[in-house]
């Protein structure tokens, strides 16, 4: 099982914000799309960072509602951890757990293919476990 399988199931829609967008605009993007993080693109369309709900909540706790008018580039995580379509689900789960991240852009060389969340990975893994259990039940039943 690989990341490519998740993208095949969930699709490759990528929701983004721009480095010059305000945190308020990015918050609206998160709410409108019911997502927990948004990729932030620079002026040439390259990934400059990622802004998550967690980043916004931490900024609100530190500086109050004034953080909503700053640019996303002031709050975003710049060193974005990415994965490849060939990465295994087990490796991705381990990486997300160890690094305490919930969203991973999927890159093939320098091409952005999609974004997966911890929810996507867990759902894909649970579906695989269900299929394995069903196959085992069928095997036992048909003896």
């Amino acid at each position: 099982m690989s990341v490519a399988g998740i993208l095949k199931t969930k699709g490759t829609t990528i929701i983004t914000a721009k480095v010059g967008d305000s945190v308020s605009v990015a918050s609206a993007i998160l709410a409108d799309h019911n997502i927990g993080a948004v990729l932030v693109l620079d002026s040439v369309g390259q990934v400059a960072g990622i802004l998550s709900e967690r980043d916004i909540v931490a900024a609100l706790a530190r500086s109050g509602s004034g953080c909503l008018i700053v640019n996303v580039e002031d709050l975003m995580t710049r060193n974005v951890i990415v994965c490849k379509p060939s990465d295994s689900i087990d490796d991705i789960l381990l990486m997300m757990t160890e690094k305490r991240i919930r969203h991973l852009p999927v890159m093939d060389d320098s091409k952005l293919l999609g974004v997966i969340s911890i929810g996507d990975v867990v759902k894909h893994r649970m579906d695989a476990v269900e299929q394995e259990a069903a196959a085992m039940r069928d095997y036992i039943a048909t003896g």
Side-chain angles (χ1 to χ4, degrees):
M1 256 317 126
S2 69
V3 170
I6 295 175
L7 287 181
K8 189 174 183 179
T9 303
K10 91 167 260 189
T12 56
T13 301
I14 304 167
I15 308 301
T16 62
K18 298 179 187 94
V19 290
D21 287 346
S22 70
V23 172
S24 178
V25 166
S27 296
I29 292 170
L30 293 173
D32 289 347
H33 295 281
N34 196 28
I35 55 176
V38 64
L39 286 180
V40 181
L41 303 182
D42 63 18
S43 60
V44 294
Q46 296 298 309
V47 176
I50 189 166
L51 181 74
S52 70
E53 296 165 321
R54 192 183 295 170
D55 297 325
I56 296 168
V57 168
L60 282 166
R62 278 192 312 271
S63 49
S65 62
C67 74
L68 296 174
I69 61 172
V70 302
N71 290 341
V72 294
E73 66 186 322
D74 295 330
L75 298 185
M76 70 184 186
T77 300
R78 292 177 185 277
N79 297 322
V80 180
I81 298 169
V82 301
C83 64
K84 296 181 264 184
S86 59
D87 288 340
S88 78
I89 300 304
D90 290 339
D91 288 345
I92 292 302
L93 278 171
L94 182 62
M95 179 188 355
M96 290 176 123
T97 301
E98 287 178 347
K99 302 210 180 272
R100 299 185 46 82
I101 55 176
R102 296 178 290 173
H103 301 88
L104 281 173
V106 182
M107 305 283 291
D108 191 13
D109 292 321
S110 61
K111 184 177 181 194
L112 179 62
L113 301 178
V115 178
I116 60 171
S117 70
I118 189 71
D120 299 326
V121 178
V122 169
K123 180 186 181 315
H124 198 76
R125 184 69 184 112
M126 293 304 295
D127 289 347
V129 167
E130 272 184 34
Q131 289 174 358
E132 290 169 11
M136 185 63 75
R137 283 190 299 275
D138 288 347
Y139 176 76
I140 292 169
T142 59

